[in-house]
Amino acid sequence: MIKQLLSRLPRKPSKSAENRELGGTPTTSLSFSTGSKSSDVGSNRFGKPNIAALSAPSSDSTLGYNQGNKFPRGVNSKLNGNSVTSSYEALPGFKDVPNSEKQSLLIRKLKLCSVVFDFTDPTKNLKEKEIKRQTLLELVDYVTSANGKFAETVMQEAIEMVSANLFRALTPQPRENKVIEAFDLEEEEPSMDPAWPHLQIEYEFLLRFVASPEMDAKLAKRYLDHSFVLKLLDLFDSEDPREREYLKTILHRIYGKFMVHRPFIRKAINNIFYQFIFETEKHNGIAELLEILGSIVNGFALPLKEEHKLFLVRALIPLHKPKCLAMYHQQLSYCITQFVEKDCKLADSVIRGLLKYWPISNSSKEVMFLSELEEVLEATQPAEFLHCMVPLFCQIARCLNSLHFQVAERALFLWNNNHIENLIEQNHNVILPIIFPALEKNATNHWNQAVYSLTLNIRKVFFDLDPELFKECLLKFQEDESEEDENKARREATWRRLEEIAAEKAASNEAVLVPR
């Protein structure tokens, strides 16, 4: 009789069926046991909160929650601010519960903060957004002052919460011809994310969580894995410089704490560089990535591995090619110089690489190249200098004759560096004949007074160093100039003859032949 009465009552759908429809795992796997969590987290740890965990009512007996403070029902990972149930309420503070319940409260707060709101409309969900903000601040304080190792369950929930809030599709600011010149990009105002007040606290939480001595790296690497790192690297393309600054610090901490991830992080950054150089030439975070690499290169052990040398040749040197070099040149120059200081034999490869990508018609890039060249030469030893000095000073001679005074002036400033001046003096018998014509032309007819004065000073240095060679070069220059004048006169005479003959035979269709 009782069975018949019960059979007439409406049945609730089984939780396992609900989970199967959502693509999740059975409810039993949602308990906070270490084994079950680590097995199913791979599919939904990143990007959005666990749908099954958020949509199902919280079970106090299963999750260890206290009565009276329930996790919001009916809230799922697709929440965008359109609908929030009234059960999204603030949880008690950590100081208001006994120590035995703090971990359970921590997990509840992490789940509460996994709900994502729509910040494009500042009038929506004001109460819920403020509750979330205050809860995030509590989480930051808790992680900062933690005095015990984080449980694996806490690590997983923390990474899920961070992933739900941070990993999102970046919406670039609409621009026409986005990558035109570096100075155009610098003049434009960066795009600021309206959700930044909440995102900043999320980043602060992640930074302190990763840096905390209470986080066991061996356990955390299951959740801060390669997929997490790749999604973190994707965010470097954000137009908000504040976000990129946080990302730079966090990725650097991850690199330092998780040795197992180091080769993967370097490879992933390489791939970003390759895509930027050879495909898009569009990326907002190249400077920040190079800052991280500058610190990494500084810590390379000697002798350098072949992998690191290939990274220099295949990624760092080609980064001189894009038009927007000015956006990250300072950081790139630091990385290049670090390599040369680590292994002086790389100076020849670096200098030849600079010559390969030397700009022809962009004077601002030429000035940057010359500044970087000075830093590289300062770390170059005489043996390596011998290998590249001929093509190098052929290019410097062209810079000395540049009509853009900043290029010519910057090339002349190389002689102000004592180390470079010593290298030149040791090989002046090869270098002076290469650059002497450029010096003479500047001393004769360069329009800029500063370039003219610097040229005269350098001519005097060479004359005092080796008067005989200087006179030989001067004589050779005069002979070449005289020969050039004769060739010019012959060309002009040939053109005059051609014009005269063409004028005589203009009325006929006969071909005009000019004898040599």
mmCIF file of all heavy atoms in Angstrom, residues 169-189:
data_model
loop_
_atom_site.group_PDB
_atom_site.id
_atom_site.type_symbol
_atom_site.label_atom_id
_atom_site.label_comp_id
_atom_site.label_asym_id
_atom_site.label_seq_id
_atom_site.Cartn_x
_atom_site.Cartn_y
_atom_site.Cartn_z
ATOM 1 N N ALA A 169 37.754 35.374 -24.123
ATOM 2 C CA ALA A 169 38.138 35.847 -25.454
ATOM 3 C C ALA A 169 38.436 37.338 -25.382
ATOM 4 O O ALA A 169 37.618 38.126 -24.899
ATOM 5 C CB ALA A 169 37.018 35.582 -26.446
ATOM 6 N N LEU A 170 39.614 37.727 -25.851
ATOM 7 C CA LEU A 170 40.005 39.136 -25.842
ATOM 8 C C LEU A 170 39.351 39.836 -27.026
ATOM 9 O O LEU A 170 39.381 39.345 -28.152
ATOM 10 C CB LEU A 170 41.526 39.275 -25.924
ATOM 11 C CG LEU A 170 42.302 38.678 -24.748
ATOM 12 C CD1 LEU A 170 43.804 38.753 -25.017
ATOM 13 C CD2 LEU A 170 41.978 39.395 -23.448
ATOM 14 N N THR A 171 38.759 40.994 -26.776
ATOM 15 C CA THR A 171 38.115 41.762 -27.840
ATOM 16 C C THR A 171 38.991 42.958 -28.167
ATOM 17 O O THR A 171 39.046 43.923 -27.406
ATOM 18 C CB THR A 171 36.720 42.244 -27.389
ATOM 19 O OG1 THR A 171 36.853 42.947 -26.141
ATOM 20 C CG2 THR A 171 35.795 41.061 -27.187
ATOM 21 N N PRO A 172 39.704 42.913 -29.299
ATOM 22 C CA PRO A 172 40.608 44.019 -29.631
ATOM 23 C C PRO A 172 39.857 45.291 -29.960
ATOM 24 O O PRO A 172 38.734 45.266 -30.466
ATOM 25 C CB PRO A 172 41.375 43.495 -30.857
ATOM 26 C CG PRO A 172 40.455 42.485 -31.465
ATOM 27 C CD PRO A 172 39.708 41.864 -30.314
ATOM 28 N N GLN A 173 40.492 46.405 -29.651
ATOM 29 C CA GLN A 173 39.913 47.706 -29.972
ATOM 30 C C GLN A 173 39.911 47.887 -31.484
ATOM 31 O O GLN A 173 40.910 47.633 -32.138
ATOM 32 C CB GLN A 173 40.741 48.807 -29.311
ATOM 33 C CG GLN A 173 40.210 50.221 -29.537
ATOM 34 C CD GLN A 173 41.083 51.252 -28.851
ATOM 35 O OE1 GLN A 173 41.990 50.900 -28.117
ATOM 36 N NE2 GLN A 173 40.814 52.512 -29.102
ATOM 37 N N PRO A 174 38.783 48.296 -32.110
ATOM 38 C CA PRO A 174 38.754 48.460 -33.572
ATOM 39 C C PRO A 174 39.705 49.556 -34.022
ATOM 40 O O PRO A 174 39.671 50.676 -33.530
ATOM 41 C CB PRO A 174 37.290 48.835 -33.857
ATOM 42 C CG PRO A 174 36.768 49.371 -32.559
ATOM 43 C CD PRO A 174 37.512 48.646 -31.467
ATOM 44 N N ARG A 175 40.577 49.194 -34.965
ATOM 45 C CA ARG A 175 41.546 50.157 -35.506
ATOM 46 C C ARG A 175 41.669 49.957 -37.001
ATOM 47 O O ARG A 175 41.489 48.856 -37.505
ATOM 48 C CB ARG A 175 42.937 49.955 -34.887
ATOM 49 C CG ARG A 175 43.021 50.332 -33.418
ATOM 50 C CD ARG A 175 44.359 49.908 -32.869
ATOM 51 N NE ARG A 175 44.539 50.306 -31.489
ATOM 52 C CZ ARG A 175 45.510 49.854 -30.707
ATOM 53 N NH1 ARG A 175 46.371 48.984 -31.163
ATOM 54 N NH2 ARG A 175 45.617 50.270 -29.462
ATOM 55 N N GLU A 176 42.009 51.020 -37.674
ATOM 56 C CA GLU A 176 42.295 50.916 -39.097
ATOM 57 C C GLU A 176 43.800 50.835 -39.271
ATOM 58 O O GLU A 176 44.538 51.679 -38.778
ATOM 59 C CB GLU A 176 41.759 52.143 -39.841
ATOM 60 C CG GLU A 176 40.229 52.236 -39.822
ATOM 61 C CD GLU A 176 39.742 53.435 -40.601
ATOM 62 O OE1 GLU A 176 40.592 54.138 -41.183
ATOM 63 O OE2 GLU A 176 38.524 53.672 -40.628
ATOM 64 N N ASN A 177 44.229 49.802 -40.024
ATOM 65 C CA ASN A 177 45.664 49.586 -40.228
ATOM 66 C C ASN A 177 46.384 49.583 -38.890
ATOM 67 O O ASN A 177 47.213 50.438 -38.594
ATOM 68 C CB ASN A 177 46.259 50.668 -41.138
ATOM 69 C CG ASN A 177 45.608 50.661 -42.508
ATOM 70 O OD1 ASN A 177 45.234 49.611 -43.021
ATOM 71 N ND2 ASN A 177 45.459 51.841 -43.090
ATOM 72 N N LYS A 178 46.035 48.609 -38.061
ATOM 73 C CA LYS A 178 46.485 48.580 -36.662
ATOM 74 C C LYS A 178 47.992 48.692 -36.523
ATOM 75 O O LYS A 178 48.506 49.430 -35.712
ATOM 76 C CB LYS A 178 45.981 47.295 -35.999
ATOM 77 C CG LYS A 178 46.325 47.201 -34.546
ATOM 78 C CD LYS A 178 45.698 45.969 -33.941
ATOM 79 C CE LYS A 178 46.060 45.848 -32.474
ATOM 80 N NZ LYS A 178 45.493 44.667 -31.854
ATOM 81 N N VAL A 179 48.732 47.942 -37.341
ATOM 82 C CA VAL A 179 50.195 48.000 -37.246
ATOM 83 C C VAL A 179 50.708 48.813 -38.419
ATOM 84 O O VAL A 179 50.911 48.304 -39.507
ATOM 85 C CB VAL A 179 50.808 46.588 -37.238
ATOM 86 C CG1 VAL A 179 52.312 46.678 -37.149
ATOM 87 C CG2 VAL A 179 50.257 45.778 -36.074
ATOM 88 N N ILE A 180 50.872 50.084 -38.192
ATOM 89 C CA ILE A 180 51.417 50.950 -39.234
ATOM 90 C C ILE A 180 52.860 51.282 -38.879
ATOM 91 O O ILE A 180 53.794 50.816 -39.492
ATOM 92 C CB ILE A 180 50.580 52.242 -39.360
ATOM 93 C CG1 ILE A 180 49.105 51.872 -39.641
ATOM 94 C CG2 ILE A 180 51.122 53.125 -40.465
ATOM 95 C CD1 ILE A 180 48.170 53.060 -39.604
ATOM 96 N N GLU A 181 53.030 52.051 -37.875
ATOM 97 C CA GLU A 181 54.363 52.360 -37.369
ATOM 98 C C GLU A 181 54.310 52.302 -35.856
ATOM 99 O O GLU A 181 53.260 52.434 -35.240
ATOM 100 C CB GLU A 181 54.817 53.761 -37.828
ATOM 101 C CG GLU A 181 55.041 53.877 -39.328
ATOM 102 C CD GLU A 181 56.236 53.071 -39.791
ATOM 103 O OE1 GLU A 181 57.070 52.703 -38.958
ATOM 104 O OE2 GLU A 181 56.331 52.809 -41.006
ATOM 105 N N ALA A 182 55.475 52.134 -35.254
ATOM 106 C CA ALA A 182 55.525 51.990 -33.796
ATOM 107 C C ALA A 182 54.977 53.234 -33.104
ATOM 108 O O ALA A 182 54.239 53.138 -32.128
ATOM 109 C CB ALA A 182 56.959 51.721 -33.355
ATOM 110 N N PHE A 183 55.337 54.408 -33.615
ATOM 111 C CA PHE A 183 54.904 55.613 -32.909
ATOM 112 C C PHE A 183 53.399 55.810 -33.007
ATOM 113 O O PHE A 183 52.788 56.430 -32.152
ATOM 114 C CB PHE A 183 55.636 56.847 -33.447
ATOM 115 C CG PHE A 183 55.617 57.008 -34.941
ATOM 116 C CD1 PHE A 183 54.524 57.569 -35.573
ATOM 117 C CD2 PHE A 183 56.693 56.585 -35.705
ATOM 118 C CE1 PHE A 183 54.513 57.731 -36.941
ATOM 119 C CE2 PHE A 183 56.671 56.733 -37.082
ATOM 120 C CZ PHE A 183 55.589 57.308 -37.704
ATOM 121 N N ASP A 184 52.770 55.268 -34.054
ATOM 122 C CA ASP A 184 51.312 55.368 -34.144
ATOM 123 C C ASP A 184 50.654 54.576 -33.020
ATOM 124 O O ASP A 184 49.673 55.006 -32.429
ATOM 125 C CB ASP A 184 50.832 54.841 -35.495
ATOM 126 C CG ASP A 184 51.259 55.740 -36.639
ATOM 127 O OD1 ASP A 184 51.454 56.933 -36.373
ATOM 128 O OD2 ASP A 184 51.424 55.258 -37.770
ATOM 129 N N LEU A 185 51.186 53.380 -32.742
ATOM 130 C CA LEU A 185 50.627 52.549 -31.683
ATOM 131 C C LEU A 185 50.867 53.175 -30.313
ATOM 132 O O LEU A 185 50.038 53.071 -29.420
ATOM 133 C CB LEU A 185 51.241 51.148 -31.725
ATOM 134 C CG LEU A 185 50.870 50.306 -32.951
ATOM 135 C CD1 LEU A 185 51.603 48.979 -32.894
ATOM 136 C CD2 LEU A 185 49.376 50.069 -33.019
ATOM 137 N N GLU A 186 52.011 53.826 -30.144
ATOM 138 C CA GLU A 186 52.310 54.420 -28.846
ATOM 139 C C GLU A 186 51.383 55.595 -28.548
ATOM 140 O O GLU A 186 51.053 55.861 -27.398
ATOM 141 C CB GLU A 186 53.774 54.894 -28.820
ATOM 142 C CG GLU A 186 54.765 53.732 -28.738
ATOM 143 C CD GLU A 186 56.209 54.213 -28.803
ATOM 144 O OE1 GLU A 186 56.425 55.346 -29.251
ATOM 145 O OE2 GLU A 186 57.098 53.445 -28.424
ATOM 146 N N GLU A 187 50.956 56.314 -29.588
ATOM 147 C CA GLU A 187 50.122 57.477 -29.374
ATOM 148 C C GLU A 187 48.690 57.098 -29.026
ATOM 149 O O GLU A 187 47.964 57.865 -28.412
ATOM 150 C CB GLU A 187 50.139 58.352 -30.632
ATOM 151 C CG GLU A 187 51.475 59.069 -30.830
ATOM 152 C CD GLU A 187 51.516 59.825 -32.144
ATOM 153 O OE1 GLU A 187 50.514 59.787 -32.888
ATOM 154 O OE2 GLU A 187 52.543 60.448 -32.433
ATOM 155 N N GLU A 188 48.240 55.890 -29.433
ATOM 156 C CA GLU A 188 46.868 55.483 -29.172
ATOM 157 C C GLU A 188 46.688 55.079 -27.713
ATOM 158 O O GLU A 188 47.565 54.481 -27.106
ATOM 159 C CB GLU A 188 46.479 54.320 -30.084
ATOM 160 C CG GLU A 188 46.325 54.735 -31.533
ATOM 161 C CD GLU A 188 45.612 53.666 -32.335
ATOM 162 O OE1 GLU A 188 44.905 52.847 -31.730
ATOM 163 O OE2 GLU A 188 45.777 53.657 -33.560
ATOM 164 N N GLU A 189 45.513 55.398 -27.174
ATOM 165 C CA GLU A 189 45.194 55.022 -25.803
ATOM 166 C C GLU A 189 44.919 53.520 -25.741
ATOM 167 O O GLU A 189 44.202 52.984 -26.584
ATOM 168 C CB GLU A 189 43.964 55.790 -25.322
ATOM 169 C CG GLU A 189 44.214 57.271 -25.087
ATOM 170 C CD GLU A 189 45.180 57.517 -23.937
ATOM 171 O OE1 GLU A 189 45.169 56.723 -22.980
ATOM 172 O OE2 GLU A 189 45.941 58.489 -24.007
#
